Amino acid sequence: MSRQEYSIFTIHRVLTKARRPVSLEQLAEEVGACCRTVKRYIKVMRNDMNAPIVYSRHQNGYYYAKPYDLFDYVDEKMLLFYVLVQRIAKNLALMPFVSHDLLDTIEDKYLKDYRPILDRISYELADHERFHPGVIKQVLDAMRSSTALGIVYQNAAGEQSHRFIEPWHLLNYSGKWYLLAWCRSSLELRTFLLSRIITLMATEETFEKELDEDLLKKYLEESYGIFKLPETQEVTIRFHEPILHIVRAREWHPKQWMVETTCDGKPCIELTLPVADPIEITYMVLGFTPHAEVVAPAPYRDYWLTRLRQAAQQWL
């Protein structure tokens, strides 16, 4: 839920429960924002959500002129949300526990008019790796109680290691579930693929490392892809025709920037974004072969060229 969504929900909750008009100052205090920002949220609710919010000059406050359901305006959005959640619910590896009662409630309350076409809207989700659904419950219990987990973990090379980890964040990325956890062995925040956890054991040991929200945010947002490391490098990829229109239309990373230029007299786009590991960015570039190349930095370009040579030697 975004900051704006949370604030609008809070305003709605306060106005619904209030028995008299609520002052702007009180709403600002409830929302945790300045009065000017709250006024902007109220304007959004009035203009975009048809919320019957009225200001009483006499009582110096806001109120609903008639009963109002916050979700009445979101039929189309709720439809797409419903179809997405329904699709996820069919795949236990993507969503181990979804209340079908919740789906039925959404359908009954908000989507009666759309029932004839519900089966004509679908989402195709990425490939995934299977794991035992009970793993997520144990992880969530440990996150809730701030207790460590003992795991046997198998890396991509098939090597197993015993670790004690402190689970901080659960992430689904491209159809796969990852656990971001403080590793007591390496004393670093690490990413663990749930499907590679061979065994998992709950403990009663509380976290030794206090959850660091700033570190977690940096870890999640700084670099391209699932490889999350404290340090990133700016990697530049050059795209050539005929895929420039695809590159322009896609957002690759919040901190990306693009430069339209020429190469050998022909148009091209140079995309630069922060990357923590060469593997995933190389896979992306290879997917656009032969119309994309890693330009910089040199170690990343060398890694990409090495993978190209290895493929050619093995298959040509």
Side-chain angles (χ1 to χ4, degrees):
M1 182 181 291
S2 69
R3 176 65 182 172
Q4 176 171 303
E5 292 167 339
Y6 170 79
S7 300
I8 288 174
F9 176 80
T10 302
I11 292 171
H12 170 72
R13 175 177 54 80
V14 172
L15 294 182
T16 300
K17 292 183 176 181
R19 296 185 178 181
R20 54 173 296 172
V22 183
S23 69
L24 181 62
E25 290 74 18
Q26 183 179 343
L27 287 174
E29 182 178 352
E30 292 283 349
V31 170
C34 66
C35 292
R36 183 176 180 180
T37 300
V38 172
K39 280 187 174 181
R40 177 165 57 84
Y41 293 147
I42 291 174
K43 184 177 180 181
V44 170
M45 293 175 72
R46 284 171 169 166
N47 296 342
D48 299 342
M49 304 179 184
N50 298 320
I53 300 177
V54 175
Y55 176 72
S56 170
R57 190 178 299 274
H58 174 67
Q59 295 179 287
N60 189 31
Y62 293 89
Y63 66 97
Y64 279 140
K66 59 182 179 179
Y68 173 70
D69 186 337
L70 180 64
F71 296 103
D72 279 348
Y73 82 101
V74 294
D75 285 351
E76 292 78 13
K77 293 182 180 178
M78 186 63 73
L79 171 63
L80 299 182
F81 168 77
Y82 170 85
V83 176
L84 173 62
V85 174
Q86 185 185 54
R87 176 65 180 85
I88 291 174
K90 291 179 180 178
N91 193 318
L92 291 180
L94 291 171
M95 186 62 66
F97 34 82
V98 173
S99 170
H100 291 281
D101 290 340
L102 171 62
L103 295 176
D104 292 340
T105 299
I106 293 174
E107 184 176 338
D108 291 340
K109 188 171 183 180
Y110 303 110
L111 302 177
K112 292 179 181 178
D113 294 339
Y114 291 101
R115 276 182 177 149
I117 64 168
L118 284 179
D119 292 336
R120 292 161 56 191
I121 305 170
S122 62
Y123 283 86
E124 287 297 328
L125 300 173
D127 62 324
H128 60 274
E129 297 181 352
R130 297 187 178 277
F131 62 93
H132 193 280
V135 169
I136 280 197
K137 184 181 187 308
Q138 288 181 278
V139 168
L140 293 177
D141 287 343
M143 290 171 63
R144 185 175 56 183
S145 60
S146 296
T147 52
L149 293 168
I151 65 171
V152 175
Y153 189 74
Q154 181 173 275
N155 64 17
E159 302 165 340
Q160 294 186 8
S161 60
H162 297 256
R163 301 166 182 261
F164 280 93
I165 61 173
E166 300 174 6
W168 283 10
H169 189 93
L170 196 59
L171 169 69
N172 190 288
Y173 180 83
S174 294
K176 300 179 179 65
W177 283 102
Y178 296 86
L179 177 62
L180 277 60
W182 183 260
C183 178
R184 290 183 177 179
S185 300
S186 63
L187 298 180
E188 291 180 333
L189 188 60
R190 292 288 181 88
T191 302
F192 300 93
L193 187 59
L194 289 195
S195 62
R196 293 184 188 162
I197 295 179
I198 307 302
T199 60
L200 185 149
M201 178 185 68
T203 76
E204 296 183 356
E205 299 180 20
T206 57
F207 284 4
E208 294 179 355
K209 171 72 173 178
E210 183 178 356
L211 194 152
D212 188 330
E213 295 285 359
D214 291 336
L215 174 61
L216 185 59
K217 182 178 180 181
K218 181 178 181 181
Y219 200 83
L220 285 167
E221 297 178 0
E222 284 297 314
S223 61
Y224 171 85
I226 192 57
F227 291 99
K228 310 294 186 181
L229 297 171
E231 300 299 327
T232 63
Q233 295 189 61
E234 292 181 351
V235 175
T236 299
I237 304 156
R238 183 180 294 140
F239 296 91
H240 305 269
E241 289 289 17
I243 63 168
L244 297 190
H245 65 289
I246 299 175
V247 178
R248 292 189 192 98
R250 181 178 298 187
E251 181 175 342
W252 307 83
H253 190 273
K255 295 185 178 180
Q256 71 180 35
W257 69 89
M258 293 185 186
V259 176
E260 303 230 9
T261 182
T262 58
C263 182
D264 296 330
K266 297 180 180 180
C268 65
I269 292 177
E270 292 188 351
L271 167 70
T272 301
L273 66 171
V275 180
D277 187 282
I279 295 177
E280 193 168 4
I281 197 71
T282 297
Y283 288 164
M284 183 272 280
V285 175
L286 290 176
F288 286 98
T289 300
H291 308 299
E293 60 176 315
V294 178
V295 177
Y300 277 66
R301 180 174 176 84
D302 292 343
Y303 183 87
W304 165 69
L305 288 172
T306 298
R307 297 305 295 267
L308 282 176
R309 295 188 187 102
Q310 289 173 340
Q313 291 171 1
Q314 183 166 351
W315 303 114
L316 294 182

